[in-house]
Amino acid sequence: MSAEPLARQATGRLARLAEERLDHRFKGLPPDADGRTVGELAAQRRNLFAEADGFTTPILALSAERLERNLAMMETYTVRHGLAFAPHGKTSMAPQLFHRQIEHGAWGITLAVPHQVRVARAFGVQRIFLANELVDASALRWIAGELAADPDFRFICYVDSVRGVGLMDAALRGAARPVDVVVELAAGEGARTGARTEAECTTVAEAVTAVPTLRLVGVAGYEGEVPQPDPERVRSYLRRLVALAAELDKGGWFGRSEEIVVSAGGSAWFDAVADVFAAVPDLSRPVLKLLRSGAYVSHDDGHYRRLTPFTRVPEEGALEPAFRLWAQVVSRPSTEQAFANAGKRDAAHDLDLPSAQVVRRDGVERPAAGVTVTGLSDQHTWLHTDPEANLEVGDWIGFGLSHPCTSFDKWQLIPVAEADGTVVDYIRTFF
């Protein structure tokens, strides 16, 4: 099949998300929405907080205004620093957001496992960076088929071992196009994945160039795994990555590639990536400096709010937390304790507990003063309340969340709400 029909199919699938019928699968939506399409419900512009509009708790919402500001913020940042951008799509697994990121200048989308690649391809993503060594034979054969069917599809993945090269080559024998790979340099001893030394990276590069099924196009790594990270340790690792690219280029290992990819970047140190990649030397062919930060799309009220590089470089701008989880107080057994009806099934909790931010009662919103989250059960939030909390059964509480990657995955359909609570869109996730 030619690339044009494939593109039309993908566009149609994205449009058809609005045609999906609503039912019991989707948490928090108005019960009377059953049978309507997502598009029909969005067109009604119901309000999260209007009792007559029927939203039930718990419900996760994305801020329409903050989501747009975050998308624009990273577009501006990457352009300013001369970086190509492939934000990590495993954060949201939301094709609607993938396309908004691409519309805001992203080169493509980064992913982690084959299923995620299949989702992105189903919705027409044409450039995918897989931040893992791919050795699953079935997945590799499927990738080979995608590359053969669509000449405009660009796919790059990690390789970090000679054994991995052999497995990939065996699975790809007879493929119409070679699979592009980048050698991953580990961030240090005890870090996650990657060849541990530059010498090992060179050995892997040599193995890649010895097989026709793979094409070496660059180097990559993840500075977020640097042991005991601080600005100097992170920059030192990134300088090693740049130097590795230069050494492999000097050795002629990129001879079959039209450009050299140098890629890094989580959501905690992209300022260091920008600084070090600005000093990439001239190489034998054009360099694609590829940043992969993904958590920015929603940002958060915990882990990434503390770690964002914009706290170190405030003159560059700021990201804003776009998530809010709304739950209702369902029990007030004492003056010091209350329980809300959201729990581990609804809220990210792997890095930090949710934080109580605002309370709504009778249409009036106020800060959640004196309300502290002390724990989560499967379906309850444990709250400690100080005397000034003024919390009653039936109150709605808006919680900030930490770690967007484990927030998106608990919700199949997420309302996008304007500041006054008017829902203008719904984001479908595919985990």
Side-chain angles (χ1 to χ4, degrees):
M1 186 177 291
S2 69
E4 187 176 349
L6 284 169
R8 284 201 301 270
Q9 283 183 15
T11 301
R13 286 180 181 139
L14 197 65
R16 284 196 295 275
L17 289 177
E19 299 170 7
E20 188 168 12
R21 294 284 171 184
L22 299 170
D23 56 27
H24 58 275
R25 292 171 296 163
F26 304 113
K27 299 190 291 184
L29 298 188
D32 70 350
D34 279 12
R36 290 181 170 87
T37 68
V38 174
E40 287 168 347
L41 185 61
Q44 292 178 348
R45 295 178 64 88
R46 298 197 191 191
N47 192 286
L48 280 178
F49 311 119
E51 185 174 344
D53 285 348
F55 288 95
T56 64
T57 56
I59 187 163
L60 181 68
L62 275 167
S63 163
E65 296 88 354
R66 291 183 171 198
L67 177 62
E68 179 58 32
R69 281 197 289 270
N70 290 344
L71 290 165
M73 179 72 245
M74 285 304 289
E75 178 182 19
T76 299
Y77 182 87
T78 53
V79 169
R80 182 187 302 135
H81 290 279
L83 299 169
F85 192 29
H88 212 318
K90 57 94 176 171
T91 297
S92 71
M93 283 309 298
Q96 292 152 284
L97 294 182
F98 295 171
H99 280 271
R100 289 186 67 176
Q101 289 169 310
I102 291 167
E103 288 165 2
H104 277 274
W107 170 91
I109 298 294
T110 295
L111 296 162
V113 294
H115 162 257
Q116 295 171 358
V117 178
R118 289 187 63 196
V119 171
R121 285 299 290 159
F123 289 92
V125 176
Q126 286 292 86
R127 292 173 177 164
I128 293 174
F129 186 101
L130 186 70
N132 255 326
E133 183 171 69
L134 181 58
V135 293
D136 184 299
S138 295
L140 284 162
R141 287 192 288 268
W142 178 80
I143 291 290
E146 290 291 293
L147 289 168
D150 184 354
D152 294 326
F153 176 39
R154 180 84 193 275
F155 177 82
I156 303 171
C157 72
Y158 281 0
V159 66
D160 76 355
S161 65
V162 172
R163 166 72 173 167
V165 171
L167 291 170
M168 295 178 78
D169 178 54
L172 292 168
R173 298 276 171 82
R177 291 170 60 188
V179 169
D180 287 349
V181 296
V182 289
V183 176
E184 184 192 7
L185 174 66
E189 286 299 323
R192 198 162 62 191
T193 56
R196 285 331 197 220
T197 67
E198 285 80 353
E200 290 177 77
C201 287
T202 301
T203 300
V204 173
E206 185 176 8
V208 170
T209 58
V211 299
T213 56
L214 303 176
R215 182 173 70 157
L216 187 67
V217 299
V219 300
Y222 176 47
E223 75 292 341
E225 280 290 309
V226 169
Q228 300 177 313
D230 62 29
E232 184 45 44
R233 286 192 180 97
V234 169
R235 283 173 169 78
S236 177
Y237 164 71
L238 292 167
R239 287 192 288 268
R240 285 179 60 203
L241 189 65
V242 169
L244 175 63
E247 280 301 306
L248 292 177
D249 185 42
K250 184 178 178 182
W253 299 113
F254 301 127
R256 294 164 60 197
S257 178
E258 293 84 25
E259 65 182 0
I260 297 172
V261 177
V262 182
S263 179
S267 295
W269 295 101
F270 54 74
D271 59 330
V273 175
D275 289 348
V276 174
F277 281 14
V280 172
D282 290 336
L283 300 179
S284 65
R285 57 211 70 202
V287 178
L288 183 73
K289 305 173 186 179
L290 195 60
L291 182 72
R292 306 192 308 271
S293 313
Y296 81 100
V297 68
S298 66
H299 199 44
D300 73 7
D301 277 294
H303 182 71
Y304 287 111
R305 190 170 201 165
R306 293 190 298 272
L307 296 184
T308 177
F310 290 122
T311 61
R312 296 187 290 271
V313 286
E315 67 277 7
E316 294 265 24
L319 298 171
E320 298 185 69
F323 268 141
R324 184 160 282 174
L325 175 67
W326 290 98
Q328 201 165 17
V329 178
V330 293
S331 181
R332 188 78 160 99
S334 74
T335 58
E336 295 183 345
Q337 196 173 38
F339 292 87
N341 64 343
K344 293 177 181 177
R345 306 297 175 89
D346 313 298
H349 56 90
D350 56 321
L351 296 180
D352 300 286
L353 290 172
S355 57
Q357 295 183 324
V358 295
V359 176
R360 290 187 65 91
R361 183 190 303 163
D362 299 328
V364 177
E365 188 170 298
R366 57 182 170 82
V371 181
T372 304
V373 177
T374 59
L376 292 177
S377 299
D378 281 352
Q379 304 292 177
H380 289 93
T381 303
W382 294 59
L383 303 171
H384 174 80
T385 54
D386 294 334
E388 72 269 25
N390 184 24
L391 204 61
E392 295 181 358
V393 169
D395 289 349
W396 281 42
I397 303 182
F399 294 96
L401 301 178
S402 181
H403 200 190
C405 300
T406 51
S407 297
F408 277 102
D409 66 1
K410 301 179 189 304
W411 296 84
Q412 292 186 65
L413 197 64
I414 303 172
V416 179
E418 294 178 339
D420 67 354
T422 301
V423 177
V424 295
D425 198 1
Y426 295 85
I427 299 296
R428 186 71 157 93
T429 65
F430 292 84
F431 284 94

